[in-house]
Amino acid sequence: GPRPLGALLLEGSPQPMGAPNEILLWAPKRLEPALTMNKQRLTTSEMPKRGWIWNQFFVLEEHIGPDAQYVGKLHSNSDKGDGSVRYILSGEGAGSIFIINEVTGDIHATESLDRERKAHYVLHAQAFDRNTEKPLEPMSEFIIKVQDINDNAPTFPDGPFVAAVPEMSALGTSVYQVTATDADDPTYGNSARVVYSILQGQPYFSVDPKTGVIRTALANMDREAREHYAVVIQAKDMAGQVGGLSGSTTINITLTDVNDNPPKFQQKNYQLYVPESAQVGKPVGKIKANDEDLGINAEIKYSLINPEGAAMFSIATDWDTREGIISLKKPLNYERKKTYTLQIEGVNTHVEPRFSYLGPFKDTATLKITVGDVDEAPVFSMDYYIMDVYENAQIGTEVGAVTARDPDSKNSPVRYFIDRGEHGEKYFNVDMDSGVIKITQSLDREDIPWHNITVMASEVDNPSLVSRVPVTVQVLDVNDNPPEINTDEEVIVCESLRPGQVIQTITAVDKDDFANGQRFSFSLPSGIPVNPNFTLKDNKDNTASISTRRRRFSQLVQELYELPVVVWDGGEPELSSTSTLTLRVCPCQRGGRLQTCQDKMGLLSSAGLSTGALIAILLCIVILLAIVVLFITLRRSKKEPLVISEEDIRENVVTYDDEGGGEEDTEAFDIIALRNPAAAEELKFRRDVRPERARQRNGPKRGYDSPPEPDQVDVQEFIKQRLVEADMDTSGPPYDSLQTYAFEGQGSPTGSISSLDSPGTHSEQDYNYLDDWGPEFEKLAELYGEDMNAAETDMAVAMTAAT
């Protein structure tokens, strides 16, 4: 018969308690020779032995009992049952949780196991010969699997839950989905198979038993009736069978708002009292319509739908309080209209079309406004007054009148006052009863052309009610100011001007206004001799031109001229004034384009030197002069000559051994001596020669005591006489003398060009064309282009410059 090859452990479901968990494998007879022949080979470690082949053992979790739970049996075909084989168990839980009988190979679990904590254990089994301690089977691995039982209830780890669904939702609208978890083995039995049911929340909601989806069970649930719901859901394992475990959770469901309610006024008719003194633009009342919805669904816009109310009042929506604020657009007047009727409409701003069947989402109400009578301040007939009065009018002259009345029905008398805080109170006064304004001081248009005052009016019965009105008074002009020449600067006259040339155009100004001014006429004063130098021409366009009468002016002869000018205005009455213009003669550049009439300091300033620099230069010059004077004084005290020379070479070096008279050593001629020799008679002696020697040398026949008359002396003869005296005077040193040449001699082949030898009657020929020949001929043009007086003046200037 067959022989057992080994033991095969069973897979799958556990065997009944106490049954051996093994199957013996038997080989047919025909395999015995091969097994016998290969016996030696099967016992080696290189070839598989004839021992056990196994896979799994099974053990139930949560075992309760006094005895250890039997797990299975290890058995080798080498075991003859004589106790010579010893079984050894190692691995997870070996020796503590799992123990083995070394002789029989039975395995028992000594502890209660929890599949949810550890689902299986991996162990190793060996069989040894007890006598030789040699392994009879190779070490083999097997698994002890903990078999599940239903010991865990379903749970909702994230509960409780919060959900929302719009009100008025359709039947079966999905609200929320819950999911329960079960720690039992979902692959074995029904321990982890969960079904859902609703414990609380019916009949409003339902739950799908398999998916846990919560849905609405009633249609059109109204948030305004009930807003919050608490739904309890249960989850039960074992597919809901009896004996299964269960768990529950709560879902708090809220119905969200939709616009399913129109606005509604609490009543159809309202009343409001508004005093006539209410300010325009200010709120006078408010109204509100109720809406049971929330948020944007409850927003209401108010409007006035009747023309009478919209003309006098306006309504705006306060979005925070959802109220209609009524304001005044125009002033109220109790005496004109005492009541107003307003038709007010409130409309939802957001409407859902699917609820249009619920009716129009708006409502209307009527508001009756009663105007209250208030004692008002007087009212002026005009918002402002403009009056006029002539300047210089007599004190007490009437300017105008203001009028105010009491707007109330009692028509109280009115009194007028001028606001004392205004500037115009010192010029005007108002009659308390009539409102007539009069002047209290003389007015001057040129000082203040406009006056602004404020007139107040108050009721006799109630003086505290005061109204004000602005009054503007224009001061009209009268011709009370004479015209004046509009220039404060000197008029520049170039030296090279020709007769009839315009040197200045003048204008006039008048403080009076255009009606009495700006029509000026000019002339020279009458009753005085004709001005020989200048003339005035009225241009008939409110300007006048000043022109020259003669040719050429000289700054050396006369620098300043005065020209009186009379100017008239065209007013009523006609006024005039005389202004004296100052004309300054100045040298000008060629053509008279650039005026250079300025002093030396001005020239230095124009050259770019500042005042500080000029002062510094002057200080340096003064210091240098002081040093020179000190040096000369020291030398003089030592009586030493300034220059000591071994050889007196007078042709090259001039030595002064005595104190000189400075500039007085030179007997200079001036223009007065040339024109009037008698005036210079006292200067005929040299100041460096004693008078006694001069008298001895010249004798009394010189005729100094009785000089000739000025008109009998010829200038040329006088100069010749002076030359003879200078040549004959041997007492005076020649190097300290003065040689004056007033004219050229007769030896010039071209003749003399001096003005002294020119004919007495001046030539009428015009030499002004020489101006066009260039700068080289400018002096020549001046010499031959001037009249006799200018020629004499140039001669004197030339002689003075030579001197």
Side-chain angles (χ1 to χ4, degrees):
R3 298 182 58 187
L5 295 179
L8 178 63
L9 299 181
L10 297 180
E11 293 188 57
S13 302
Q15 299 299 318
M17 294 293 292
N21 221 359
E22 61 178 13
I23 297 178
L24 297 178
L25 300 181
W26 300 90
K29 279 189 175 182
R30 61 177 178 269
L31 294 179
E32 280 191 34
L35 293 173
T36 304
M37 181 177 58
N38 294 317
K39 180 176 181 181
Q40 184 64 32
R41 182 181 300 171
L42 291 174
T43 58
T44 63
S45 60
E46 297 177 359
M47 298 296 294
K49 295 182 180 294
R50 293 179 297 156
W52 48 64
I53 300 176
W54 47 48
N55 189 6
Q56 291 187 25
F57 285 113
F58 293 90
V59 60
L60 292 175
E61 67 171 335
E62 305 294 345
H63 172 70
I64 299 175
D67 298 331
Q69 182 182 1
Y70 179 73
V71 179
K73 184 180 181 64
L74 295 179
H75 183 72
S76 173
N77 57 359
S78 300
D79 188 0
K80 305 301 185 181
D82 54 0
S84 61
V85 178
R86 182 166 65 90
Y87 297 96
I88 297 176
L89 186 66
S90 63
E92 295 179 340
S96 58
I97 299 175
F98 303 101
I99 59 175
I100 186 171
N101 190 320
E102 293 184 353
V103 177
T104 63
D106 294 329
I107 301 174
H108 290 82
T110 61
E111 297 180 6
S112 176
L113 304 180
D114 187 0
R115 189 199 69 83
E116 287 72 33
R117 179 180 298 177
K118 189 172 181 62
H120 64 275
Y121 297 86
V122 179
L123 293 97
H124 300 86
Q126 282 185 305
F128 291 90
D129 189 326
R130 189 180 295 274
N131 297 322
T132 62
E133 292 298 328
K134 292 182 178 181
L136 299 178
E137 302 288 347
M139 180 180 294
S140 298
E141 181 181 281
F142 67 96
I143 297 174
I144 297 178
K145 187 174 183 181
V146 181
Q147 190 169 349
D148 182 54
I149 62 174
N150 189 18
D151 59 344
N152 291 278
T155 59
F156 297 91
D158 298 329
F161 304 95
V162 177
V165 62
E167 65 171 330
M168 308 298 291
S169 296
L171 181 65
T173 301
S174 177
V175 179
Y176 196 77
Q177 182 179 13
V178 293
T179 301
T181 59
D182 196 318
D184 293 327
D185 189 0
T187 63
Y188 179 74
N190 294 325
S191 298
R193 185 179 177 184
V194 178
V195 294
Y196 302 94
S197 61
I198 185 168
L199 300 182
Q200 179 181 327
Q202 295 175 334
Y204 307 105
F205 299 95
S206 63
V207 64
D208 188 291
K210 294 182 179 181
T211 62
V213 176
I214 302 172
R215 302 178 184 275
T216 59
L218 289 178
N220 300 327
M221 287 188 291
D222 190 4
R223 184 199 64 83
E224 288 72 30
R226 182 178 178 182
E227 185 176 4
H228 301 286
Y229 296 86
V231 178
V232 179
I233 301 297
Q234 182 188 62
K236 189 174 184 180
D237 60 9
M238 297 300 294
Q241 297 177 6
V242 177
L245 303 179
S246 64
S248 62
T249 188
T250 301
I251 300 94
N252 295 311
I253 300 175
T254 301
L255 297 183
T256 58
D257 183 66
V258 297
N259 192 9
D260 58 341
N261 295 279
K264 194 74 173 177
F265 287 102
Q266 293 183 352
Q267 57 194 59
K268 288 298 182 181
N269 296 288
Y270 296 86
Q271 290 186 354
L272 181 64
Y273 173 83
V274 179
E276 63 174 338
S277 60
Q279 297 182 12
V280 175
K282 298 295 183 179
V284 296
K286 55 186 178 181
I287 192 172
K288 183 178 182 180
N290 295 324
D291 194 323
E292 296 181 354
D293 296 321
L294 299 175
I296 194 174
N297 299 315
E299 290 183 356
I300 303 172
K301 182 179 180 181
Y302 298 91
S303 61
L304 299 176
I305 58 177
N306 65 317
E308 178 187 3
M312 291 295 297
F313 298 89
S314 63
I315 189 168
T317 302
D318 187 337
W319 300 107
D320 295 330
T321 61
R322 297 189 178 90
E323 293 177 332
I325 307 301
I326 302 169
S327 301
L328 187 62
K329 292 175 63 176
K330 297 180 181 180
L332 297 175
N333 193 327
Y334 173 81
E335 288 73 24
R336 293 182 182 179
K337 190 173 180 61
K338 296 179 175 59
T339 60
Y340 292 90
T341 301
L342 279 63
Q343 295 291 331
I344 302 175
E345 181 181 62
V347 181
N348 278 144
T349 57
H350 298 82
V351 179
E352 296 188 25
R354 64 190 184 102
F355 299 117
S356 59
Y357 68 91
L358 297 177
F361 284 78
K362 61 183 179 180
D363 195 15
T364 60
T366 301
L367 175 63
K368 184 178 181 180
I369 296 180
T370 301
V371 180
D373 186 18
V374 177
D375 191 5
E376 301 175 81
V379 177
F380 284 94
S381 59
M382 300 177 64
D383 295 333
Y384 60 91
Y385 293 87
I386 299 178
M387 304 175 184
D388 55 59
V389 63
Y390 282 99
E391 63 175 329
N392 301 327
Q394 295 182 359
I395 297 175
T397 301
E398 182 177 335
V399 179
V402 296
T403 304
R405 65 175 183 85
D406 183 9
D408 300 320
S409 57
K410 60 182 180 179
N411 195 15
S412 175
V414 177
R415 296 291 181 264
Y416 301 96
F417 308 91
I418 288 182
D419 191 349
R420 297 306 176 184
E422 294 292 333
H423 176 71
E425 65 171 323
K426 63 180 181 179
Y427 294 101
F428 303 94
N429 196 8
V430 62
D431 188 88
M432 182 179 298
D433 298 322
S434 63
V436 175
I437 300 175
K438 299 180 181 180
I439 62 175
T440 59
Q441 295 186 22
S442 180
L443 302 178
D444 187 0
R445 188 200 67 85
E446 288 72 35
D447 184 19
I448 304 177
W450 295 86
H451 293 268
N452 297 315
I453 61 177
T454 300
V455 178
M456 302 183 299
S458 64
E459 297 179 9
V460 175
D461 298 338
N462 190 359
S464 61
L465 295 177
V466 178
S467 59
R468 291 173 171 82
V469 66
V471 178
T472 301
V473 180
Q474 180 184 8
V475 181
L476 302 179
D477 182 58
V478 296
N479 193 20
D480 58 345
N481 291 279
E484 298 177 354
I485 299 298
N486 186 21
T487 179
D488 294 331
E489 299 179 356
E490 296 177 337
V491 179
I492 303 301
V493 180
C494 293
E495 290 182 335
S496 59
L497 288 177
R498 304 171 187 175
Q501 188 169 352
V502 177
I503 60 175
Q504 181 75 20
T505 299
I506 60 175
T507 60
V509 294
D510 196 326
K511 294 182 180 180
D512 296 319
D513 64 4
F514 183 79
N516 292 316
Q518 304 300 323
R519 297 191 302 274
F520 303 116
S521 58
F522 304 84
S523 70
L524 295 177
S526 60
I528 62 174
V530 177
N531 193 310
N533 300 310
F534 306 99
T535 183
L536 183 70
K537 178 186 177 181
D538 192 347
N539 298 324
K540 305 301 181 180
D541 59 353
N542 294 329
T543 64
S545 300
I546 302 175
S547 304
T548 59
R549 281 183 176 273
R550 63 182 180 87
R551 180 190 302 274
R552 300 191 179 277
F553 294 83
S554 175
Q555 187 181 25
L556 296 177
V557 176
Q558 184 173 350
E559 182 179 3
L560 298 177
Y561 293 87
E562 291 184 350
L563 181 65
V565 177
V566 182
V567 57
W568 287 271
D569 60 15
E572 290 292 338
E574 189 175 44
L575 301 178
S576 66
S577 67
T578 301
S579 300
T580 301
L581 301 180
T582 301
L583 292 81
R584 180 181 294 272
V585 179
C586 296
C588 301
Q589 286 187 354
R590 187 169 175 266
R593 291 188 300 270
L594 180 61
Q595 300 173 355
T596 59
C597 192
Q598 49 194 358
D599 55 12
K600 295 180 180 180
M601 190 62 69
L603 291 173
L604 292 175
S605 299
S606 63
L609 295 178
S610 62
T611 304
L614 294 176
I615 295 174
I617 293 174
L618 293 177
L619 288 176
C620 292
I621 294 174
V622 171
I623 293 172
L624 290 175
L625 292 176
I627 293 174
V628 172
V629 171
L630 180 62
F631 183 75
I632 292 174
T633 304
L634 293 176
R635 286 290 186 180
R636 184 178 300 169
S637 64
K638 294 180 180 180
K639 298 185 181 294
E640 295 180 0
L642 291 175
V643 178
I644 301 175
S645 175
E646 296 179 358
E647 183 178 358
D648 188 6
I649 305 176
R650 293 184 179 270
E651 294 180 356
N652 298 324
V653 179
V654 178
T655 302
Y656 292 88
D657 294 334
D658 55 355
E659 295 184 7
E663 293 181 356
E664 296 180 354
D665 288 346
T666 60
E667 191 171 36
F669 291 95
D670 59 6
I671 194 66
I672 300 176
L674 291 176
R675 295 184 182 274
N676 189 6
E681 186 66 22
E682 60 182 358
L683 300 175
K684 62 181 180 179
F685 299 107
R686 296 180 55 87
R687 293 187 177 91
D688 56 347
V689 180
R690 290 195 300 272
E692 292 78 8
R693 294 181 59 186
R695 284 195 293 270
Q696 292 175 3
R697 182 173 59 253
N698 296 323
K701 296 181 180 181
R702 301 295 294 270
Y704 297 123
D705 296 333
S706 58
E709 294 298 327
D711 53 350
Q712 298 177 359
V713 178
D714 183 75
V715 175
Q716 184 174 354
E717 292 296 327
F718 178 79
I719 294 176
K720 289 180 180 181
Q721 181 182 355
R722 290 298 185 183
L723 289 174
V724 172
E725 292 179 0
D727 292 338
M728 295 179 63
D729 187 5
T730 59
S731 63
Y735 47 83
D736 196 21
S737 63
L738 173 67
Q739 303 297 329
T740 303
Y741 298 91
F743 60 93
E744 296 182 1
Q746 301 296 326
S748 174
T750 60
S752 176
I753 62 173
S754 173
S755 60
L756 298 177
D757 291 338
S758 60
T761 59
H762 187 68
S763 176
E764 297 298 331
Q765 183 177 357
D766 188 4
Y767 293 94
N768 290 322
Y769 63 89
L770 294 175
D771 291 338
D772 301 330
W773 289 9
E776 296 83 356
F777 296 90
E778 182 177 356
K779 187 63 178 177
L780 190 59
E782 293 179 359
L783 291 175
Y784 282 87
E786 61 188 2
D787 55 12
M788 181 60 68
N789 294 331
E792 293 178 358
T793 302
D794 290 341
M795 180 188 68
V797 172
M799 294 183 66
T800 303
T803 301

